[in-house]
PDB file of all heavy atoms in Angstrom:
ATOM      1  N   THR A  16      -6.237  -0.704  19.398  1.00  0.00           N
ATOM      2  CA  THR A  16      -7.647  -0.321  19.351  1.00  0.00           C
ATOM      3  C   THR A  16      -7.922   0.750  18.296  1.00  0.00           C
ATOM      4  O   THR A  16      -9.020   0.820  17.749  1.00  0.00           O
ATOM      5  CB  THR A  16      -8.101   0.217  20.726  1.00  0.00           C
ATOM      6  OG1 THR A  16      -7.230   1.276  21.126  1.00  0.00           O
ATOM      7  CG2 THR A  16      -8.065  -0.883  21.768  1.00  0.00           C
ATOM      8  N   MET A  17      -6.925   1.561  17.989  1.00  0.00           N
ATOM      9  CA  MET A  17      -7.117   2.654  17.027  1.00  0.00           C
ATOM     10  C   MET A  17      -6.697   2.285  15.611  1.00  0.00           C
ATOM     11  O   MET A  17      -6.963   3.022  14.665  1.00  0.00           O
ATOM     12  CB  MET A  17      -6.325   3.882  17.481  1.00  0.00           C
ATOM     13  CG  MET A  17      -6.844   4.508  18.751  1.00  0.00           C
ATOM     14  SD  MET A  17      -8.394   5.372  18.503  1.00  0.00           S
ATOM     15  CE  MET A  17      -7.807   6.827  17.624  1.00  0.00           C
ATOM     16  N   ILE A  37      -4.456   5.030  11.444  1.00  0.00           N
ATOM     17  CA  ILE A  37      -5.568   5.259  12.364  1.00  0.00           C
ATOM     18  C   ILE A  37      -6.853   5.541  11.595  1.00  0.00           C
ATOM     19  O   ILE A  37      -6.886   6.403  10.713  1.00  0.00           O
ATOM     20  CB  ILE A  37      -5.255   6.435  13.313  1.00  0.00           C
ATOM     21  CG1 ILE A  37      -3.976   6.139  14.110  1.00  0.00           C
ATOM     22  CG2 ILE A  37      -6.418   6.721  14.242  1.00  0.00           C
ATOM     23  CD1 ILE A  37      -3.455   7.308  14.881  1.00  0.00           C
ATOM     24  N   ASP A  38      -7.888   4.836  11.938  1.00  0.00           N
ATOM     25  CA  ASP A  38      -9.200   5.007  11.313  1.00  0.00           C
ATOM     26  C   ASP A  38      -9.760   6.386  11.689  1.00  0.00           C
ATOM     27  O   ASP A  38      -9.919   6.704  12.863  1.00  0.00           O
ATOM     28  CB  ASP A  38     -10.141   3.906  11.814  1.00  0.00           C
ATOM     29  CG  ASP A  38     -11.444   3.857  11.038  1.00  0.00           C
ATOM     30  OD1 ASP A  38     -11.938   4.917  10.623  1.00  0.00           O
ATOM     31  OD2 ASP A  38     -11.987   2.740  10.869  1.00  0.00           O
ATOM     32  N   ARG A  39     -10.062   7.213  10.691  1.00  0.00           N
ATOM     33  CA  ARG A  39     -10.550   8.563  10.959  1.00  0.00           C
ATOM     34  C   ARG A  39     -11.899   8.563  11.668  1.00  0.00           C
ATOM     35  O   ARG A  39     -12.200   9.463  12.453  1.00  0.00           O
ATOM     36  CB  ARG A  39     -10.658   9.347   9.652  1.00  0.00           C
ATOM     37  CG  ARG A  39      -9.311   9.716   9.057  1.00  0.00           C
ATOM     38  CD  ARG A  39      -9.450  10.646   7.883  1.00  0.00           C
ATOM     39  NE  ARG A  39      -9.891  11.972   8.305  1.00  0.00           N
ATOM     40  CZ  ARG A  39      -9.543  13.098   7.683  1.00  0.00           C
ATOM     41  NH1 ARG A  39      -8.759  13.041   6.605  1.00  0.00           N
ATOM     42  NH2 ARG A  39      -9.975  14.249   8.100  1.00  0.00           N
ATOM     43  N   ARG A  40     -12.704   7.538  11.408  1.00  0.00           N
ATOM     44  CA  ARG A  40     -14.015   7.485  12.066  1.00  0.00           C
ATOM     45  C   ARG A  40     -13.852   7.365  13.574  1.00  0.00           C
ATOM     46  O   ARG A  40     -14.662   7.886  14.342  1.00  0.00           O
ATOM     47  CB  ARG A  40     -14.819   6.295  11.536  1.00  0.00           C
ATOM     48  CG  ARG A  40     -15.275   6.436  10.091  1.00  0.00           C
ATOM     49  CD  ARG A  40     -15.905   5.155   9.606  1.00  0.00           C
ATOM     50  NE  ARG A  40     -14.953   4.040   9.652  1.00  0.00           N
ATOM     51  CZ  ARG A  40     -15.249   2.784   9.315  1.00  0.00           C
ATOM     52  NH1 ARG A  40     -16.486   2.483   8.927  1.00  0.00           N
ATOM     53  NH2 ARG A  40     -14.324   1.844   9.374  1.00  0.00           N
ATOM     54  N   LYS A  41     -12.784   6.670  14.002  1.00  0.00           N
ATOM     55  CA  LYS A  41     -12.513   6.538  15.435  1.00  0.00           C
ATOM     56  C   LYS A  41     -11.798   7.779  15.965  1.00  0.00           C
ATOM     57  O   LYS A  41     -12.164   8.310  17.014  1.00  0.00           O
ATOM     58  CB  LYS A  41     -11.658   5.298  15.686  1.00  0.00           C
ATOM     59  CG  LYS A  41     -12.352   3.988  15.350  1.00  0.00           C
ATOM     60  CD  LYS A  41     -11.431   2.804  15.617  1.00  0.00           C
ATOM     61  CE  LYS A  41     -12.119   1.489  15.278  1.00  0.00           C
ATOM     62  NZ  LYS A  41     -11.221   0.325  15.508  1.00  0.00           N
ATOM     63  N   ALA A  42     -10.800   8.235  15.224  1.00  0.00           N
ATOM     64  CA  ALA A  42      -9.982   9.359  15.689  1.00  0.00           C
ATOM     65  C   ALA A  42     -10.753  10.666  15.739  1.00  0.00           C
ATOM     66  O   ALA A  42     -10.429  11.556  16.537  1.00  0.00           O
ATOM     67  CB  ALA A  42      -8.752   9.514  14.803  1.00  0.00           C
ATOM     68  N   ASP A  43     -11.774  10.822  14.901  1.00  0.00           N
ATOM     69  CA  ASP A  43     -12.526  12.079  14.848  1.00  0.00           C
ATOM     70  C   ASP A  43     -13.693  12.141  15.822  1.00  0.00           C
ATOM     71  O   ASP A  43     -14.405  13.145  15.889  1.00  0.00           O
ATOM     72  CB  ASP A  43     -13.037  12.321  13.415  1.00  0.00           C
ATOM     73  CG  ASP A  43     -11.909  12.709  12.461  1.00  0.00           C
ATOM     74  OD1 ASP A  43     -10.844  13.135  12.957  1.00  0.00           O
ATOM     75  OD2 ASP A  43     -12.085  12.572  11.242  1.00  0.00           O
ATOM     76  N   ARG A  44     -13.901  11.066  16.583  1.00  0.00           N
ATOM     77  CA  ARG A  44     -14.919  11.137  17.629  1.00  0.00           C
ATOM     78  C   ARG A  44     -14.476  12.153  18.676  1.00  0.00           C
ATOM     79  O   ARG A  44     -13.297  12.199  19.038  1.00  0.00           O
ATOM     80  CB  ARG A  44     -15.093   9.772  18.297  1.00  0.00           C
ATOM     81  CG  ARG A  44     -15.698   8.699  17.399  1.00  0.00           C
ATOM     82  CD  ARG A  44     -15.657   7.355  18.102  1.00  0.00           C
ATOM     83  NE  ARG A  44     -16.090   6.273  17.225  1.00  0.00           N
ATOM     84  CZ  ARG A  44     -15.903   4.983  17.480  1.00  0.00           C
ATOM     85  NH1 ARG A  44     -15.280   4.618  18.607  1.00  0.00           N
ATOM     86  NH2 ARG A  44     -16.315   4.066  16.637  1.00  0.00           N
ATOM     87  N   PRO A  45     -15.406  12.986  19.149  1.00  0.00           N
ATOM     88  CA  PRO A  45     -15.037  14.063  20.094  1.00  0.00           C
ATOM     89  C   PRO A  45     -14.210  13.590  21.284  1.00  0.00           C
ATOM     90  O   PRO A  45     -13.230  14.235  21.666  1.00  0.00           O
ATOM     91  CB  PRO A  45     -16.397  14.601  20.551  1.00  0.00           C
ATOM     92  CG  PRO A  45     -17.301  14.321  19.403  1.00  0.00           C
ATOM     93  CD  PRO A  45     -16.833  13.000  18.838  1.00  0.00           C
ATOM     94  N   GLN A  46     -14.573  12.428  21.869  1.00  0.00           N
ATOM     95  CA  GLN A  46     -13.875  11.954  23.064  1.00  0.00           C
ATOM     96  C   GLN A  46     -12.492  11.380  22.747  1.00  0.00           C
ATOM     97  O   GLN A  46     -11.663  11.208  23.633  1.00  0.00           O
ATOM     98  CB  GLN A  46     -14.720  10.903  23.808  1.00  0.00           C
ATOM     99  CG  GLN A  46     -14.952   9.611  23.032  1.00  0.00           C
ATOM    100  CD  GLN A  46     -16.217   9.629  22.197  1.00  0.00           C
ATOM    101  OE1 GLN A  46     -16.563  10.656  21.622  1.00  0.00           O
ATOM    102  NE2 GLN A  46     -16.903   8.497  22.136  1.00  0.00           N
ATOM    103  N   VAL A  47     -12.255  11.082  21.467  1.00  0.00           N
ATOM    104  CA  VAL A  47     -10.967  10.502  21.059  1.00  0.00           C
ATOM    105  C   VAL A  47     -10.068  11.545  20.407  1.00  0.00           C
ATOM    106  O   VAL A  47      -8.844  11.520  20.575  1.00  0.00           O
ATOM    107  CB  VAL A  47     -11.187   9.325  20.083  1.00  0.00           C
ATOM    108  CG1 VAL A  47      -9.853   8.756  19.608  1.00  0.00           C
ATOM    109  CG2 VAL A  47     -12.017   8.228  20.749  1.00  0.00           C
ATOM    110  N   ARG A  48     -10.656  12.466  19.684  1.00  0.00           N
ATOM    111  CA  ARG A  48      -9.885  13.447  18.915  1.00  0.00           C
ATOM    112  C   ARG A  48      -8.941  14.260  19.794  1.00  0.00           C
ATOM    113  O   ARG A  48      -7.821  14.582  19.394  1.00  0.00           O
ATOM    114  CB  ARG A  48     -10.831  14.374  18.159  1.00  0.00           C
ATOM    115  CG  ARG A  48     -10.096  15.341  17.227  1.00  0.00           C
ATOM    116  CD  ARG A  48     -11.023  16.028  16.253  1.00  0.00           C
ATOM    117  NE  ARG A  48     -10.306  16.941  15.394  1.00  0.00           N
ATOM    118  CZ  ARG A  48      -9.572  16.578  14.351  1.00  0.00           C
ATOM    119  NH1 ARG A  48      -9.463  15.293  14.038  1.00  0.00           N
ATOM    120  NH2 ARG A  48      -8.944  17.468  13.616  1.00  0.00           N
ATOM    121  N   THR A  49      -9.402  14.578  21.003  1.00  0.00           N
ATOM    122  CA  THR A  49      -8.554  15.330  21.936  1.00  0.00           C
ATOM    123  C   THR A  49      -7.240  14.604  22.189  1.00  0.00           C
ATOM    124  O   THR A  49      -6.161  15.216  22.177  1.00  0.00           O
ATOM    125  CB  THR A  49      -9.287  15.544  23.280  1.00  0.00           C
ATOM    126  OG1 THR A  49     -10.484  16.272  23.046  1.00  0.00           O
ATOM    127  CG2 THR A  49      -8.416  16.305  24.266  1.00  0.00           C
ATOM    128  N   TYR A  50      -7.308  13.283  22.420  1.00  0.00           N
ATOM    129  CA  TYR A  50      -6.103  12.506  22.692  1.00  0.00           C
ATOM    130  C   TYR A  50      -5.237  12.347  21.450  1.00  0.00           C
ATOM    131  O   TYR A  50      -4.008  12.348  21.532  1.00  0.00           O
ATOM    132  CB  TYR A  50      -6.491  11.132  23.258  1.00  0.00           C
ATOM    133  CG  TYR A  50      -7.240  11.217  24.561  1.00  0.00           C
ATOM    134  CD1 TYR A  50      -8.521  10.704  24.693  1.00  0.00           C
ATOM    135  CD2 TYR A  50      -6.664  11.820  25.676  1.00  0.00           C
ATOM    136  CE1 TYR A  50      -9.223  10.786  25.886  1.00  0.00           C
ATOM    137  CE2 TYR A  50      -7.349  11.910  26.877  1.00  0.00           C
ATOM    138  CZ  TYR A  50      -8.628  11.395  26.976  1.00  0.00           C
ATOM    139  OH  TYR A  50      -9.308  11.490  28.158  1.00  0.00           O
ATOM    140  N   PHE A  51      -5.890  12.230  20.283  1.00  0.00           N
ATOM    141  CA  PHE A  51      -5.158  12.100  19.023  1.00  0.00           C
ATOM    142  C   PHE A  51      -4.346  13.364  18.743  1.00  0.00           C
ATOM    143  O   PHE A  51      -3.146  13.301  18.449  1.00  0.00           O
ATOM    144  CB  PHE A  51      -6.144  11.828  17.886  1.00  0.00           C
ATOM    145  CG  PHE A  51      -5.516  11.827  16.522  1.00  0.00           C
ATOM    146  CD1 PHE A  51      -4.640  10.828  16.148  1.00  0.00           C
ATOM    147  CD2 PHE A  51      -5.798  12.837  15.612  1.00  0.00           C
ATOM    148  CE1 PHE A  51      -4.051  10.820  14.885  1.00  0.00           C
ATOM    149  CE2 PHE A  51      -5.220  12.837  14.354  1.00  0.00           C
ATOM    150  CZ  PHE A  51      -4.345  11.833  13.993  1.00  0.00           C
ATOM    151  N   ILE A  52      -4.997  14.514  18.857  1.00  0.00           N
ATOM    152  CA  ILE A  52      -4.313  15.794  18.629  1.00  0.00           C
ATOM    153  C   ILE A  52      -3.224  16.000  19.670  1.00  0.00           C
ATOM    154  O   ILE A  52      -2.133  16.482  19.370  1.00  0.00           O
ATOM    155  CB  ILE A  52      -5.326  16.955  18.662  1.00  0.00           C
ATOM    156  CG1 ILE A  52      -6.294  16.848  17.470  1.00  0.00           C
ATOM    157  CG2 ILE A  52      -4.614  18.308  18.643  1.00  0.00           C
ATOM    158  CD1 ILE A  52      -7.432  17.843  17.497  1.00  0.00           C
ATOM    159  N   TYR A  79      -5.687   8.400   9.077  1.00  0.00           N
ATOM    160  CA  TYR A  79      -4.520   9.210   9.379  1.00  0.00           C
ATOM    161  C   TYR A  79      -3.322   8.270   9.441  1.00  0.00           C
ATOM    162  O   TYR A  79      -3.453   7.095   9.814  1.00  0.00           O
ATOM    163  CB  TYR A  79      -4.659   9.896  10.741  1.00  0.00           C
ATOM    164  CG  TYR A  79      -5.726  10.954  10.819  1.00  0.00           C
ATOM    165  CD1 TYR A  79      -6.878  10.734  11.581  1.00  0.00           C
ATOM    166  CD2 TYR A  79      -5.587  12.170  10.168  1.00  0.00           C
ATOM    167  CE1 TYR A  79      -7.865  11.703  11.682  1.00  0.00           C
ATOM    168  CE2 TYR A  79      -6.572  13.149  10.256  1.00  0.00           C
ATOM    169  CZ  TYR A  79      -7.710  12.906  11.007  1.00  0.00           C
ATOM    170  OH  TYR A  79      -8.687  13.860  11.104  1.00  0.00           O
TER     171      TYR A  79
END
Side-chain angles (χ1 to χ4, degrees):
T16 54
M17 293 288 286
I37 301 170
D38 190 325
R39 289 188 70 148
R40 291 173 299 178
K41 295 180 180 179
D43 288 341
R44 292 173 186 166
Q46 65 269 38
V47 178
R48 186 167 180 77
T49 300
Y50 299 120
F51 174 69
I52 294 173
Y79 292 111

